[in-house]
Amino acid sequence: MDTARVADLDEDALVALVAARLPAGRSTFLGPGDDAAVVVAGDGRFVVTTDVLVEDQHFRREWSSGADVGARAAMQNLADVAAMGASPTALVVALTVPPDLPVAFVTGLAEGLAAVCAPLGVGVVGGDLSAGPSVQVAVTAHGDLAGRAPVRRSGARPGDTVAHAGVAGWSAAGLALLVAGRRDDELVGAYLCPRAPLAAGPAAARAGASAMLDVSDGLVRDAQRIASASGVQIAFDSVAQAFADDLARLAGAAAVVGAQADDWVLGGGEDHGLLATFPGALAHGFRPVGHVVAGQGVTVAGQQPTVSGWDHFG
Amino acid sequence: MDTARVADLDEDALVALVAARLPAGRSTFLGPGDDAAVVVAGDGRFVVTTDVLVEDQHFRREWSSGADVGARAAMQNLADVAAMGASPTALVVALTVPPDLPVAFVTGLAEGLAAVCAPLGVGVVGGDLSAGPSVQVAVTAHGDLAGRAPVRRSGARPGDTVAHAGVAGWSAAGLALLVAGRRDDELVGAYLCPRAPLAAGPAAARAGASAMLDVSDGLVRDAQRIASASGVQIAFDSVAQAFADDLARLAGAAAVVGAQADDWVLGGGEDHGLLATFPGALAHGFRPVGHVVAGQGVTVAGQQPTVSGWDHFG
């Protein structure tokens, strides 16, 4: 089995291997096995988001195991659910695999999804499996708002505190280390399999956060999205002040690869931290990193930032 | 713009072109623009299913326009929702595109999604856009059961009538015509852009259907799934009797390409008709095609069928 390829199995057998590894979930009314699943939505509404991981675009198989890819696919989608202030309930997964892919990669991927979802009571309730030119994992995640209003990008107001939960720059640093041939660093793990501060999302909503999003494309670029949607300026404190912990953690890696840790903090994507604005006290898990002021755009220590994130097609 | 490629635009500009074409939907509480959408689930539960279309696996760009692919991606997912007895409410779409793809294919795809969804009041409430080696469209569809139990595959009982809604064999015939270089036939349209009998799904549930599924892999293969899940035998009447209308419609195409129309009816995939079993009167839109009997497997006119559908990896 260890050397088996996808093309060695028929579709039903491969689906069965995946299905056996997927968690049922606390909100699952009807799980896999029919044309569709049924998920409980006690709120009378559900939150939904979809994100895809594409081989050689978002990950490389020489670096990421199936379990890494599965965990990351789950985490980046659950982070989007959390960013609305919701608690995750269920995932579905559309997986495309090349015929020569080791079966162990596919079963590992299911185990990676389960490793993230099962402890949260999140079910993987359905999926689709197709052949294709490379590995692609399209996850759709759902969540429950428990009666609260969704936290949007458009609610930030001058005077709010800008706050951040999670880490900043770790994923970008981990990728840089991998490119440089280094694997023996916790930062590499943060790239392969980021850990989003999922509980901080509903906590922020309960604390009255006025705006929030998941930091997937870099702190400056994503802050710009809140600024644009809210018609305000996001004024970060100096990186040295606001992100001192991250800078300290990244300094060694920056020296190894000859990079600036500031650039990773401000421009690195895919850490899946949460950036939020609070009119009052911050929720547990958030640290203050700046203020909302009248105006537009993003400033860092009063200056225009020089890092602007990245573009998938650029 | 007609000759523009995806790589000529930045990601946000491409997303804006797509978003402008997507319908809002009657059940949309919060549409695109935040990290996730919010959809109304008045039932307190929601139905969810996901299916992907992969270029050169499920469609070819030389045959299918962007609008065809978008409409088909929506339709095959809405058919899965209908097969549970639910009415569709919302879609999300994860789209992967190669950098040299014409922008017009992407905007056409959005228009194809809208052409199917808008008349039904179904919103396309979110999405993801990534670069990749070929076009892939992963749709996740949601539906509402309006307080009814979901119609599963496992409820068929001996004595039930087996019934079918929609067309059988048309998609397979259309593909065969395309392969033979013919385009001037309604059957080609049925392959490029199948029309599933979506309203028949909730109608079947209201009429007390005991089992149901969407016929995506061929009538015999999908009937086998009901037979296995329910622990019964699905006994089709003779094809000439049960599917006389389809046979008549397919005869010309069968003669053109030298195929047997029976094989298309029994083995052709992706028509997205509904196969259901009814203890009592059939729902509107269904025709009787056989009976549920004690035993296992599938028979056609009392014989083992010789056509068994197809396997994505075979």
Side-chain angles (χ1 to χ4, degrees):
Chain A
M1 184 59 88
D2 280 344
T3 58
R5 305 282 160 169
V6 161
D8 298 333
L9 298 180
D10 75 17
E11 188 179 348
D12 288 346
L14 192 58
V15 168
L17 284 175
V18 171
R21 287 165 168 79
L22 299 179
R26 277 197 297 269
S27 300
T28 305
F29 184 88
L30 177 65
D34 285 276
D35 285 29
V38 184
V39 178
V40 172
D43 179 74
R45 303 165 298 175
F46 62 90
V47 168
V48 57
T49 182
T50 193
D51 253 326
V52 65
L53 288 180
V54 180
E55 182 177 355
D56 294 334
Q57 181 75 16
H58 302 104
F59 67 90
R60 298 189 198 177
R61 267 195 273 154
E62 63 186 289
W63 291 339
S64 295
S65 69
D68 290 333
V69 174
R72 185 172 157 197
M75 192 63 82
Q76 72 175 17
N77 278 279
L78 296 184
D80 281 327
V81 169
M84 303 303 291
S87 299
T89 55
L91 300 186
V92 295
V93 183
L95 178 60
T96 305
V97 294
D100 67 347
L101 185 71
V103 170
F105 189 94
V106 180
T107 55
L109 198 146
E111 288 160 2
L113 290 168
V116 170
C117 292
L120 301 168
V122 173
V124 182
V125 299
D128 184 37
L129 187 61
S130 286
S134 66
V135 178
Q136 297 203 26
V137 192
V139 167
T140 302
H142 304 86
D144 191 274
L145 287 163
R148 294 183 298 271
V151 183
R152 304 189 56 181
R153 300 177 176 184
S154 53
R157 295 292 174 264
D160 292 353
T161 302
V162 177
H164 181 262
V167 301
W170 291 35
S171 176
L175 175 58
L177 288 171
L178 273 173
V179 169
R182 308 286 287 253
R183 291 208 61 137
D184 57 338
D185 194 303
E186 182 192 18
L187 296 172
V188 171
Y191 164 72
L192 296 176
C193 188
R195 277 176 295 180
L198 298 175
R206 287 190 294 267
S210 51
M212 184 157 52
L213 52 54
D214 156 59
V215 181
S216 54
D217 291 336
L219 206 54
V220 167
R221 186 165 173 183
D222 284 318
Q224 177 63 54
R225 293 181 168 135
I226 289 181
S228 295
S230 298
V232 297
Q233 180 177 99
I234 301 294
F236 285 109
D237 301 331
S238 77
V239 174
Q241 179 183 339
F243 296 95
D245 289 357
D246 291 310
L247 285 181
R249 182 64 192 81
L250 299 172
V256 164
V257 303
Q260 295 293 323
D262 295 44
D263 288 347
W264 287 334
V265 168
L266 291 176
E270 303 188 339
D271 286 309
H272 301 294
L274 294 173
L275 186 68
T277 58
F278 291 90
L282 306 191
H284 182 72
F286 283 84
R287 52 180 163 173
V289 296
H291 291 85
V292 181
V293 299
Q296 57 183 356
V298 176
T299 61
V300 179
Q303 307 291 315
Q304 292 282 339
T306 54
V307 183
S308 66
W310 52 289
D311 188 308
H312 289 288
F313 300 100
Chain B
M1 182 59 88
D2 281 343
T3 57
R5 306 281 160 169
V6 162
D8 299 331
L9 298 181
D10 75 17
E11 188 179 348
D12 288 346
L14 192 58
V15 167
L17 284 176
V18 171
R21 287 164 168 81
L22 299 178
R26 276 197 297 269
S27 301
T28 305
F29 184 88
L30 177 65
D34 285 278
D35 285 28
V38 184
V39 178
V40 173
D43 179 74
R45 304 165 297 175
F46 62 89
V47 169
V48 56
T49 182
T50 192
D51 253 325
V52 64
L53 287 180
V54 180
E55 182 178 355
D56 294 334
Q57 181 74 16
H58 302 103
F59 68 89
R60 298 189 198 178
R61 266 195 273 154
E62 63 185 289
W63 291 338
S64 295
S65 69
D68 290 333
V69 173
R72 185 170 157 199
M75 192 63 82
Q76 71 175 17
N77 278 279
L78 296 184
D80 281 327
V81 168
M84 303 304 290
S87 299
T89 55
L91 300 186
V92 295
V93 183
L95 178 60
T96 305
V97 295
D100 67 347
L101 186 71
V103 170
F105 189 94
V106 180
T107 54
L109 199 146
E111 288 160 2
L113 290 167
V116 170
C117 291
L120 301 167
V122 172
V124 181
V125 298
D128 184 37
L129 186 63
S130 286
S134 65
V135 178
Q136 296 204 26
V137 191
V139 168
T140 301
H142 304 86
D144 191 276
L145 287 162
R148 294 183 297 270
V151 183
R152 305 189 56 183
R153 299 176 177 185
S154 52
R157 295 293 174 262
D160 291 354
T161 302
V162 178
H164 182 262
V167 301
W170 291 34
S171 176
L175 176 57
L177 287 171
L178 273 173
V179 170
R182 309 285 287 251
R183 291 206 63 135
D184 56 338
D185 195 302
E186 180 192 20
L187 296 172
V188 171
Y191 164 73
L192 295 176
C193 190
R195 277 177 293 179
L198 299 175
R206 287 191 295 268
S210 51
M212 184 156 55
L213 51 55
D214 157 57
V215 181
S216 54
D217 290 336
L219 206 55
V220 167
R221 187 166 172 182
D222 284 319
Q224 177 63 54
R225 293 181 166 134
I226 290 181
S228 296
S230 298
V232 298
Q233 181 176 98
I234 300 295
F236 285 110
D237 301 332
S238 77
V239 174
Q241 179 182 338
F243 296 95
D245 288 356
D246 291 309
L247 285 181
R249 183 63 192 78
L250 299 172
V256 164
V257 303
Q260 295 292 324
D262 296 44
D263 288 346
W264 287 335
V265 168
L266 292 175
E270 303 187 339
D271 285 310
H272 301 295
L274 295 172
L275 186 69
T277 59
F278 291 89
L282 306 191
H284 182 72
F286 284 85
R287 53 181 161 172
V289 296
H291 291 86
V292 182
V293 299
Q296 56 183 358
V298 176
T299 61
V300 178
Q303 308 291 314
Q304 293 282 340
T306 53
V307 183
S308 67
W310 53 289
D311 188 307
H312 290 287
F313 300 101

